[in-house]
Amino acid sequence: MRASLLQIDVNEGESIESRRVRVASLVREQSGSADLVVLPELWTTGAFAYEEFASEAEPLEGPTYEAMAKAASDAGVWLHAGSIPERDPEGPLYNTSLVFSPAGDLVAAYRKIHRFGFDKGEAVLMGAGEELVTVRLPETTVGVATCYDLRFPELFRGLVDAGAETFVVPAGWPERRRAHWTLLAQARAVENQAFVLACGTAGTHAGVPQAGHSIVVDPWGEVLAQAGAGEQVLTVEFDPGKPAVTRDQFPALKDRVLGVAAPPRR
Ligand SMILES: O=C(O)CCC(=O)C(=O)O
């Protein structure tokens, strides 16, 4: 199976409409060289462009949905189109990832569960998702997570319990914590014996330099490929049967002990 991670440069020098057209064309260019294409988190506005979230939020089936559904079907690829600031007509904004089939049908939407920013930014401007999401592709079951979710191992264990063998993680991770990005991607892969395909943004937006360094890690924790800092298409071939083989040969997941009582808090 081949995947292309499109590490998009997000900066204020390019309008959202131009970026949408450019990204759709980059997706089309992957036709024939990738089965699965992955985009970053909030690549229209940028993950730290808090002031843009409300004005640029879209309904689920808005302009980014339309452009990405068409790009997926034109290219004939599975497309994890990263995330959009979604405006729910009856609720708050959400940081929502969209996954399309090669026919251009929406097969999953995931609202980010862990919002970043503590008491500001996304954490106060957006609502929290409440549901884990997996998608069955012909060769693997994908579990989806977004950026800050990478710090919460219980979310990934929940996805494993739901059958995930490959995690796809769009992000807008800042350069300042790049070491955590690589370390956490490897940790989530090793502890769950799963592939991690984590796609970040490049460039600087809202004054926050982005880490880039999108990464693909195999179920043994080996880094199969890693991008540099700038805009880049990272294409990697991987064996979707490897999680099952790894789980069979080194069956640590079977040794989980659930429900251990905690001692009283001191
Ligand atoms: O956890 C981090 O260090 C970065 C998270 C983040 O930037 C995000 O979720 O948008």
Side-chain angles (χ1 to χ4, degrees):
M1 186 173 174
R2 279 171 304 171
S4 287
L5 280 56
L6 310 190
Q7 178 171 288
I8 305 299
D9 187 326
V10 176
N11 66 77
E12 291 92 1
E14 181 181 41
S15 73
I16 289 177
E17 185 44 37
S18 310
R19 184 150 53 246
R20 202 180 277 123
V21 170
R22 191 168 69 77
V23 167
S25 139
L26 265 176
V27 170
R28 283 190 189 93
E29 284 173 24
Q30 309 315 308
S31 182
S33 54
D35 308 293
L36 169 65
V37 175
V38 182
L39 291 171
E41 178 189 32
L42 297 177
W43 54 268
T44 54
T45 54
F48 287 88
Y50 303 139
E51 283 162 23
E52 314 288 317
F53 288 173
S55 58
E56 300 298 340
E58 312 174 26
L60 190 73
E61 298 190 8
T64 302
Y65 175 107
E66 295 292 339
M68 294 301 112
K70 179 142 188 357
S73 71
D74 287 350
V77 296
W78 290 91
L79 174 63
H80 186 311
S83 69
I84 57 164
E86 180 206 350
R87 180 181 299 288
D88 178 339
E90 283 155 29
L93 305 182
Y94 291 99
N95 183 340
T96 304
S97 288
L98 307 174
V99 185
F100 296 93
S101 75
D105 296 321
L106 185 76
V107 290
Y110 165 66
R111 288 173 167 170
K112 184 178 183 184
I113 291 177
H114 301 94
R115 296 157 301 163
F116 183 65
F118 310 111
D119 54 359
K120 55 183 193 315
E122 180 188 34
V124 295
L125 296 171
M126 287 183 170
E130 293 178 350
E131 281 172 28
L132 297 181
V133 172
T134 60
V135 189
R136 181 64 206 163
L137 268 53
E139 300 99 336
T140 188
T141 299
V142 167
V144 294
T146 306
C147 201
Y148 188 49
D149 283 335
L150 199 53
R151 294 187 182 272
F152 299 88
E154 61 277 16
L155 182 148
F156 290 79
R157 209 28 87 74
L159 291 170
V160 167
D161 287 341
E165 296 172 318
T166 300
F167 299 125
V168 175
V169 188
W173 202 274
E175 166 59 21
R176 192 151 178 265
R177 295 183 292 281
R178 172 150 65 89
H180 296 189
W181 164 252
T182 301
L183 185 66
L184 290 165
Q186 286 186 275
R188 297 295 85 87
V190 173
E191 75 196 358
N192 295 298
Q193 304 182 303
F195 285 102
V196 171
L197 279 56
C199 181
T201 46
T204 296
H205 66 268
V208 182
Q210 295 293 288
H213 287 81
S214 298
I215 187 168
V216 177
V217 190
D218 82 0
W220 198 246
E222 305 271 352
V223 177
L224 299 185
Q226 187 158 29
E231 179 158 310
Q232 189 175 333
V233 176
L234 185 71
T235 301
V236 64
E237 185 151 6
F238 63 99
D239 173 6
K242 199 161 179 186
V245 171
T246 308
R247 290 172 187 182
D248 188 49
Q249 292 179 345
F250 192 82
L253 284 174
K254 288 197 182 135
D255 282 338
R256 289 166 69 189
V257 178
L258 303 173
V260 181
R265 211 181 161 100
R266 293 181 200 286

